[in-house]
Amino acid sequence: MGVTCVSQVPVAEGKSVQQTVDILHRKLEQLGAVKQGNFCVDCETYHAAGTTSGQPPKFLYVMHNSETPLSCMGMFEGGPCLIADGNFDVLMVKLKSHFQNAKGHKVETRGARYQYCDFLVKVGTVTMSSSARGISVEVSKAKEEQMIEV
């Protein structure tokens, strides 16, 4: 199992989110990184319906990743995680009496994938309600089958 590091990158002073992302792309390309396409990760928040009075609401986060299009991940706040097939969203619709979608709380990260030596670097713009909120950078060791010769 490899190691992945995801970091939030501050927006450059006097620059917009997109301008800062463009600067990061240029720096990666100057280092010799090769663009390999795009990625998208989204997260929808659900809250437990009909919580007991005095109890804080429990949240369920459902995430989709373009790197694993046939599956999605569910994470309970302070509890277990699960990996399910892509049709988990259909189940969530059927469970609407137990979990309700928290409208306006969908978070999405979209961006470009780069291969740099034996690392995979993803630079993405984090949006919530179609408003840019920040920048994420994910660095992971590329799998042997993903590596390209340099």
Side-chain angles (χ1 to χ4, degrees):
M1 178 143 226
V3 175
T4 299
C5 178
V6 180
S7 301
Q8 182 178 356
V9 175
V11 176
E13 192 173 327
K15 304 284 185 187
S16 70
V17 169
Q18 189 56 51
Q19 289 171 326
T20 304
V21 167
D22 291 341
I23 290 168
L24 291 171
H25 287 178
R26 279 195 302 276
K27 286 182 179 181
L28 282 166
E29 289 168 2
Q30 287 171 349
L31 287 171
V34 178
K35 186 174 179 184
Q36 288 192 324
N38 298 312
F39 76 97
C40 177
V41 176
D42 69 61
C43 177
E44 291 192 65
T45 304
Y46 294 86
H47 57 86
T51 57
T52 314
S53 63
Q55 296 284 351
K58 289 286 188 174
F59 293 101
L60 169 64
Y61 305 98
V62 178
M63 299 175 65
H64 301 89
N65 186 342
S66 61
E67 303 284 311
T68 57
L70 298 179
S71 62
C72 68
M73 181 179 290
M75 296 182 297
F76 287 97
E77 181 179 34
C81 298
L82 64 94
I83 297 176
D85 81 12
N87 291 329
F88 187 70
D89 294 322
V90 175
L91 179 61
M92 290 307 297
V93 171
K94 293 185 184 280
L95 292 174
K96 66 183 172 189
S97 61
H98 300 287
F99 289 99
Q100 296 176 344
N101 191 325
K103 301 289 184 202
H105 286 93
K106 182 174 182 176
V107 178
E108 186 175 79
T109 301
R110 289 182 175 272
R113 300 175 64 216
Y114 288 89
Q115 180 82 37
Y116 178 67
C117 298
D118 57 348
F119 292 96
L120 183 62
V121 181
K122 299 178 191 173
V123 179
T125 302
V126 180
T127 58
M128 185 174 182
S129 303
S130 70
S131 173
R133 299 295 178 131
I135 302 165
S136 69
V137 175
E138 176 182 338
V139 180
S140 59
K141 178 98 164 89
K143 296 176 187 169
E144 287 298 320
E145 64 269 12
Q146 289 177 334
M147 291 178 59
I148 59 171
E149 290 188 33
V150 179

